[in-house]
Amino acid sequence: MKQYLIKGRKLSEKQINIFNTLLREEDLLEISPVTMEVTDSTISPFSDKLIMFLITTTTATSIPLIAHAMSVSMRKDLAIHYARIIAEIIHYEEIGVNILINRGWME
């Protein structure tokens, strides 16, 4: 599960980098990811089941949102990026759903 979450972070960073590059090329302000405070605690305040539920739910929700952005964009170069990102997110979501199913957490 930890590897799944790390993969998700890398996927998010990749998306931010793609769009920041496009913004930088247009001399526009870049977006910056929200940083979370890291504690030295070794005990998670949330259950693995809750974390996986939230990650898979928000990931699944992002797919139609990005598809909508692609449908209203007039820029063809953005559509290519959106399509590739959607494919990567679908693959990531499939892995998460399989984790939920294998652990008996899918409700």
Side-chain angles (χ1 to χ4, degrees), residues 72-90:
V72 297
S73 175
M74 293 186 197
R75 291 181 54 173
K76 301 292 185 206
D77 61 329
L78 290 181
I80 294 167
H81 291 295
Y82 287 140
R84 188 178 55 197
I85 287 169
I86 288 171
E88 291 172 354
I89 291 172
I90 288 171

Side-chain angles (χ1 to χ4, degrees), residues 37-106:
E37 296 297 322
V38 178
T39 68
D40 57 359
S41 174
T42 57
I43 300 169
S44 176
F46 307 107
S47 69
D48 290 351
K49 184 177 179 180
L50 177 62
I51 292 169
M52 286 302 297
F53 170 76
L54 292 173
I55 295 298
T56 54
T57 301
T58 55
T59 302
T61 304
S62 71
I63 296 167
L65 294 174
I66 295 170
H68 176 73
M70 182 170 62
S71 72
V72 297
S73 175
M74 293 186 197
R75 291 181 54 173
K76 301 292 185 206
D77 61 329
L78 290 181
I80 294 167
H81 291 295
Y82 287 140
R84 188 178 55 197
I85 287 169
I86 288 171
E88 291 172 354
I89 291 172
I90 288 171
H91 177 69
Y92 179 72
E93 177 68 11
E94 180 182 12
I95 294 169
V97 169
N98 286 333
I99 291 171
L100 290 173
I101 291 169
N102 292 337
R103 293 185 180 211
W105 293 344
M106 189 69 158

